[in-house]
Amino acid sequence: MKRLTVTAFLSFCGVLCLFVSPAFSADATQSKEAKGIVALVDKAAALTESKGKTAFSEFKKKGSEWLKGENYVFIADMNGVILMHPANPELETKSILDLKDANGKAFMREFVETAKTKGSGWVEYMWPKPGEKTPSKKLSYIKRAKLPTGETALVGAGIYLK
């Protein structure tokens, strides 16, 4: 009888975890911080659409609205090539389309798919905070943008989840 109760409890906990984890992410997208990220990405996408790659230097200015603390704007093309990444400039010009996070998720593929199919949206994955090596849970907002050259890119920024 005791064994059955423990099994039932563990089963319940497993099912609960399936629903609670996505719920925390959904709540996170409604936070004040997340709404600020959406506004930041929308503004960065508009600037990218009007100025193209000449806007990238603005996005790299430390202490600016684009690069402050753990928050920064990043830009990639639709093949997963990083066009601008102020926190990891060594990634620029490299494709990370097939790069997987600590949980095996090809997050750049999901960024590209979100931009292509929805135009914008949230993607959860693991990524190190600036200056750290250990990945943390991150939720990034991605938006499709069209550069003046006609090239389609994705603009993103995110928040690290506690």
Side-chain angles (χ1 to χ4, degrees):
M1 183 69 154
K2 196 176 206 178
R3 189 174 193 178
L4 182 60
T5 305
V6 170
T7 303
F9 176 74
L10 291 175
S11 296
F12 171 76
C13 288
V15 170
L16 186 63
C17 286
L18 289 173
F19 295 103
V20 171
S21 180
F24 281 127
S25 297
D27 288 344
T29 63
Q30 300 305 311
S31 71
K32 183 180 176 185
E33 189 178 13
K35 289 177 182 176
I37 291 293
V38 170
L40 183 71
V41 169
D42 287 347
K43 192 173 176 182
L47 193 60
T48 300
E49 288 181 339
S50 67
K51 290 188 163 189
K53 293 180 180 181
T54 59
F56 293 2
S57 61
E58 293 180 42
F59 298 142
K60 292 183 174 190
K61 290 181 184 170
K62 287 185 180 175
S64 70
E65 67 182 307
W66 315 110
L67 178 57
K68 193 182 306 176
E70 293 177 351
N71 295 332
Y72 55 88
V73 171
F74 58 87
I75 301 174
D77 71 13
M78 299 307 276
N79 295 311
V81 175
I82 300 297
L83 301 176
M84 193 278 309
H85 198 299
N88 292 302
E90 66 277 1
L91 292 176
E92 292 176 7
T93 73
K94 295 183 177 126
S95 174
I96 62 166
L97 191 64
D98 293 317
L99 181 66
K100 293 183 178 168
D101 72 2
N103 295 329
K105 183 179 203 173
F107 59 91
M108 181 55 76
R109 284 194 177 273
E110 197 165 327
F111 288 177
V112 170
E113 190 62 24
T114 297
K116 280 183 182 176
T117 61
K118 299 178 187 174
S120 64
W122 290 97
V123 176
E124 186 177 312
Y125 59 108
M126 300 294 288
W127 190 256
K129 292 178 182 179
E132 294 184 10
K133 300 267 188 232
T134 306
S136 296
K137 191 179 284 190
K138 187 171 186 181
L139 190 59
S140 285
Y141 182 73
I142 307 301
K143 184 170 185 160
R144 182 176 58 223
K146 180 89 75 180
L147 280 68
T149 59
E151 180 183 9
T152 302
L154 61 87
V155 178
I159 52 177
Y160 289 93
L161 303 174
K162 287 11 177 205

